[in-house]
Amino acid sequence: MAIAADCWVETISGRVRANELAPGDYVFGMDGLPTKVKSVQTYVPQKFYNVKFSDGCSIEGDQFLNLPVKNWVQRMCHSRHKGVQKVERRRHQKYRTPEQILESGLYHTHHNRLEYTVDTIKPLDYGYEDHAVPPFIAGMWCANRRKNNKYPIPSEHRDYLKAHAQRSKQFVVVENKQHIHIRPSVEAVFLRDYATIPTKEFPYKYLYGKPEQRLEFLQGFFITRPKTYIVKKDRFRIRSKTNRYIIEMIQVLCESLGIKTTLSNDNTYWELTFKTKLPILPFQKHVGRKSGERYRQIVGVEECEPRQCVHIETTKPIAVGNGFIPIWHSRTNNKKS
């Protein structure tokens, strides 16, 4: 298995390109836990493929790129038995390469449904981060970038916000009829972690930390943007005409928590949408089924011009790319499945 050399890979010390990895580094498996890199090999393959998924994510690699997949029959059995089935426990995980997917076809033979899906990863378990600004308040600040630290929060959400913001006993929340005011200045406290205030950039340190810390950042980010949550569809939606960078960072944050996202562009807006059972907002509801949010469907496989790839050998599947797609190096797993 080899992925494109410029593909992002999550390590315990941050995101790096695949060609920057070295033996002995620790990357994250699809179970959310670190795993050691045994070897790294760079080469240009004879064949090169781009595998596309239903949510807009894609992964590029050579003809030996192994994806841990589930077929249509497995998904139906899992759905009918609510995930509890003795037969499923005895089966080996199926792996398919781009060539094998093209050979068998993208759709089920009889039901005209997309055949293969890839599960989303478990939340990545980074170590605890000692942030100068608590994640909840940092999320509020990042969503609005208000220098005066005033936030227009609806009255029905203020008790929830005060309970979270004052948990660290570092900041004081002052209420007003039209807004709330946080003291001391968030920008001044940011200078303990950053050389300059990240006014135009995403505070990258909040991409890491325990899952609870990253969830708190999302809670603070979306509490100041309650209109981004569509109650009837139980879906979050962020739009921006110019600031694609912030949207991509929120996507990475969500994906690291095991939330499948969809990033699209209609030549006017960049739009990020997702559904989740995680408690991001206090008025969040769970409408409809969530089974489809646990996996991505493979919608296309295209052969491309070969370019430099990196073979990464580990003991279990690892998560790569902005979509945190799980892949594995082993060429023998297909024989087992």
Side-chain angles (χ1 to χ4, degrees):
M1 176 281 298
I3 56 175
D6 59 352
C7 183
W8 287 110
V9 180
E10 301 297 322
T11 72
I12 59 174
S13 57
R15 311 187 82 204
V16 299
R17 300 290 185 179
N19 57 4
E20 298 175 356
L21 286 174
D25 290 344
Y26 281 87
V27 297
F28 282 96
M30 66 180 298
D31 58 359
L33 301 176
T35 182
K36 191 175 183 179
V37 175
K38 291 185 174 181
S39 65
V40 177
Q41 182 182 3
T42 304
Y43 63 93
V44 178
Q46 295 180 350
K47 293 184 179 181
F48 189 76
Y49 292 91
N50 181 14
V51 182
K52 298 181 179 180
F53 297 88
S54 55
D55 59 347
C57 291
S58 62
I59 185 71
E60 295 179 325
D62 65 1
Q63 65 269 34
F64 301 112
L65 180 67
N66 268 283
L67 297 167
V69 299
K70 287 183 179 178
N71 58 26
W72 184 83
V73 173
Q74 286 178 300
R75 297 198 304 274
M76 291 302 101
C77 291
H78 188 278
S79 177
R80 290 170 184 171
H81 296 272
K82 297 182 180 180
V84 180
Q85 189 181 24
K86 295 181 180 179
V87 177
E88 198 68 27
R89 298 174 189 170
R90 297 196 297 267
R91 292 178 179 174
H92 292 287
Q93 170 66 59
K94 292 181 179 294
Y95 290 83
R96 293 291 180 267
T97 66
E99 290 182 338
Q100 290 173 331
I101 294 174
L102 287 175
E103 182 180 353
S104 60
L106 293 172
Y107 291 86
H108 190 274
T109 308
H110 302 293
H111 299 280
N112 198 29
R113 300 287 185 89
L114 287 167
E115 175 74 350
Y116 297 111
T117 61
V118 175
D119 287 344
T120 55
I121 65 166
K122 301 293 183 181
L124 301 188
D125 191 14
Y126 289 106
Y128 178 82
E129 285 286 337
D130 187 14
H131 299 296
V133 179
F136 186 86
I137 293 181
M140 291 177 54
W141 177 86
C142 185
N144 291 272
R145 308 279 178 163
R146 294 180 180 271
K147 294 183 179 181
N148 55 9
N149 294 306
K150 294 181 179 180
Y151 303 92
I153 303 296
S155 58
E156 61 268 24
H157 302 154
R158 292 189 179 185
D159 291 340
Y160 169 83
L161 185 145
K162 288 176 65 176
H164 280 70
Q166 295 179 343
R167 187 181 300 173
S168 65
K169 299 181 180 180
Q170 182 180 1
F171 290 87
V172 176
V173 178
V174 180
E175 290 191 69
N176 192 293
K177 290 183 179 180
Q178 298 180 348
H179 59 262
I180 65 167
H181 187 197
I182 295 180
R183 299 173 182 172
S185 171
V186 176
E187 290 83 356
V189 182
F190 260 128
L191 293 177
R192 301 177 189 176
D193 276 346
Y194 299 88
T196 58
I197 299 173
T199 54
K200 295 183 179 180
E201 298 180 355
F202 188 88
Y204 61 90
K205 289 186 178 180
Y206 291 91
L207 294 175
Y208 312 108
K210 286 290 184 179
E212 296 80 9
Q213 292 180 293
R214 305 199 302 274
L215 178 60
E216 284 185 16
F217 185 93
L218 288 180
Q219 290 171 338
F221 186 91
F222 285 101
I223 193 61
T224 60
R225 294 185 174 187
K227 293 183 179 180
T228 58
Y229 178 66
I230 305 172
V231 178
K232 291 183 179 180
K233 297 183 178 180
D234 185 25
R235 183 178 67 183
F236 290 86
R237 181 180 66 185
I238 314 174
R239 282 183 171 183
S240 178
K241 288 185 177 181
T242 57
N243 202 346
R244 177 186 175 184
Y245 172 71
I246 293 295
I247 289 183
E248 287 185 338
M249 293 299 99
I250 295 297
Q251 180 189 29
V252 170
L253 199 58
C254 290
E255 294 286 354
S256 72
L257 290 170
I259 303 173
K260 187 187 77 170
T261 62
T262 301
L263 181 62
S264 59
N265 179 22
D266 60 358
N267 297 324
T268 304
Y269 291 94
W270 287 99
E271 181 177 278
L272 179 71
T273 60
F274 64 90
K275 292 183 179 182
T276 181
K277 290 183 178 179
L278 295 177
I280 294 179
L281 292 176
F283 53 90
Q284 190 175 339
K285 296 182 179 180
H286 301 301
V287 181
R289 298 178 62 187
K290 297 292 185 299
S291 59
E293 306 306 317
R294 296 196 301 266
Y295 54 76
R296 293 178 164 87
Q297 296 175 313
I298 298 177
V299 297
V301 178
E302 297 180 355
E303 186 171 357
C304 309
E305 188 70 23
R307 56 192 180 92
Q308 191 178 56
C309 289
V310 177
H311 172 84
I312 307 168
E313 185 175 353
T314 57
T315 57
K316 58 184 177 182
I318 62 174
V320 301
N322 281 346
F324 291 62
I325 309 298
I327 60 171
W328 206 10
H329 68 90
S330 178
R331 303 181 186 180
T332 61
N333 291 314
N334 294 299
K335 296 179 180 179
K336 296 180 181 179
S337 61

